[in-house]
Amino acid sequence: PTDLMVNDFVDVRIMYPSGVEYTVLVGKQVTKIAGTTIWMDMSEEDRLLLNSAIVDSYLTDGTKLYAVRYTDPTTQIKLVKK
């Protein structure tokens, strides 16, 4: 997002040319921004998921990898792994 700021929360999503869309990372806080690059604290599992999505976005023409900013992170529903 063009209005992204440090400390904002984002979901990272991937959309394939067929229109199928997946959420790669949920509720990550942005810790640093430099140009079009953002930094977030992630677990190893998150890094592996994001790396896989990045590779998919390069291998499949028309694939879009993007972040969606939370408008109010305090009211977003938090998902809990079971």
Side-chain angles (χ1 to χ4, degrees), residues 18-36:
S18 64
V20 175
E21 186 173 350
Y22 297 98
T23 303
V24 179
L25 300 175
V26 177
K28 295 299 173 186
Q29 187 172 16
V30 176
T31 58
K32 182 179 174 182
I33 301 173
T36 59

Side-chain angles (χ1 to χ4, degrees), residues 4-57:
L4 192 63
M5 305 288 287
V6 172
N7 294 324
D8 280 351
F9 287 84
V10 296
D11 285 349
V12 176
R13 297 181 182 181
I14 188 166
M15 183 170 56
Y16 293 95
S18 64
V20 175
E21 186 173 350
Y22 297 98
T23 303
V24 179
L25 300 175
V26 177
K28 295 299 173 186
Q29 187 172 16
V30 176
T31 58
K32 182 179 174 182
I33 301 173
T36 59
T37 304
I38 62 174
W39 279 258
M40 301 173 283
D41 290 330
M42 291 185 275
S43 67
E44 185 64 23
E45 182 181 356
D46 291 340
R47 287 187 180 120
L48 293 172
L49 287 169
L50 185 57
N51 285 340
S52 179
I54 290 168
V55 170
D56 275 0
S57 71

Side-chain angles (χ1 to χ4, degrees), residues 54-77:
I54 290 168
V55 170
D56 275 0
S57 71
Y58 280 103
L59 292 179
T60 308
D61 287 339
T63 300
K64 181 179 175 184
L65 185 63
Y66 63 100
V68 177
R69 184 176 62 89
Y70 283 12
T71 54
D72 185 2
T74 60
T75 62
Q76 296 282 149
I77 298 171

